Amino acid sequence: MSKLWKWKQGTQQVGFKDWLDGKKDPFLNEVEMEPKQEKKPDAKMLRERLRDRNLMYENLYDANKNKEIRLFEKIFPIASIIFCILFIVLMMIMVSYLPPVGNASNPDNNEVTKRYIENGLQETGAVNIVTGMILDYRAFDTFGESNVLFIATITVLIMLKVNKKKEKTKAAEAQSDRLYEPKNDPILQFAARLFVPIIMMFGIYVILNGHLSPGGGFSGGAIIGAGLILHLNAFGFEKTERFFTEKTYKTVCFAALSFYCLAKSYSFFTGANHLESHIPLGKPGAILSSGLILPLNICVGLVVACTMYTFYAMFRKGDF
């Protein structure tokens, strides 16, 4: 008996050591196991479920037998017409209470508009009253709009980012670049060589004269962005990315928005505390005038131009 116990004990010890070393599983083929059988649905239960489903559809969705559906189909067109008539009547009543156009007592003719018109040139130095309003009196709103453009572009950039492990080859990129446009189109390239410099110069002119005449950062930046898009369509990514890449966009936008934020923060701080900002307004009508409005126009123009081109480039390329 003692020999048998020692033999069993030794066998268990050896089996445990083999299992610990990963050589043998002591439970494999040693434990009674039943293979798992696939559960087959009961035919009677399936028939009952199908019958219940058919009864439900017949009672709820049968327009010929369901009184509620028939009543709804009759009432709905009439109710829709009545609602539209009431809505139009209410809108007409509201419009009738609006003040007449041009009336001196209108709510929009208040001290704010009067101050913009009468004191705008003296306080901002900008001949263009609209530019003085959006880049001086309401510069905080313009800064928020520029940030919205930057954040929207960065979001799309993240969504279309290429997986580095599955990065495209240069040949595949060149082929996708000319997938929808004719390769080396001489007419398009000649037009681009002729008009892109003119478009760029006109965009710069609109930005730099935004405080003197109609224009500014938004319109001038849109013109420059259109010039960049024309250059991309004519010459492709290979030549355009020699001077404008993802890094260029991020650097230019970050620098422009940072300068805008710091400059207007200083202006807001001095104005709120009735301190002298020591920023010269210059001579009204001169190119170097209007204090911070000129550099802020340049910042807005850079952000708008880069955003327009980057949006087009990302959606055309499909990834970045």
Side-chain angles (χ1 to χ4, degrees), residues 31-48:
V31 180
E32 183 178 358
M33 300 176 62
E34 294 183 359
K36 188 176 180 180
Q37 300 292 335
E38 183 180 357
K39 185 178 180 180
K40 295 181 180 180
D42 188 6
K44 182 179 179 181
M45 184 181 296
L46 289 177
R47 287 195 299 268
E48 290 179 356

Side-chain angles (χ1 to χ4, degrees), residues 26 40 42 45 62 84 97 107 126 130 142 202-203 225 243 275-276 290 298:
K40 295 181 180 180
D42 188 6
M45 184 181 296
D62 190 358
C84 291
Y97 280 96
V130 177
T142 307
F202 181 64
F243 61 89
L275 301 174
E276 180 62 36
S290 70
I298 296 174

Side-chain angles (χ1 to χ4, degrees), residues 60 86 96 113 129 142 159 177 187 194 210 234 237 262 281 293:
L60 293 179
L86 290 176
S96 66
T113 306
I129 299 177
T142 307
M159 294 173 63
D177 182 23
I187 298 177
L194 180 64
F237 283 102
L262 294 175
L281 297 180
I293 292 181

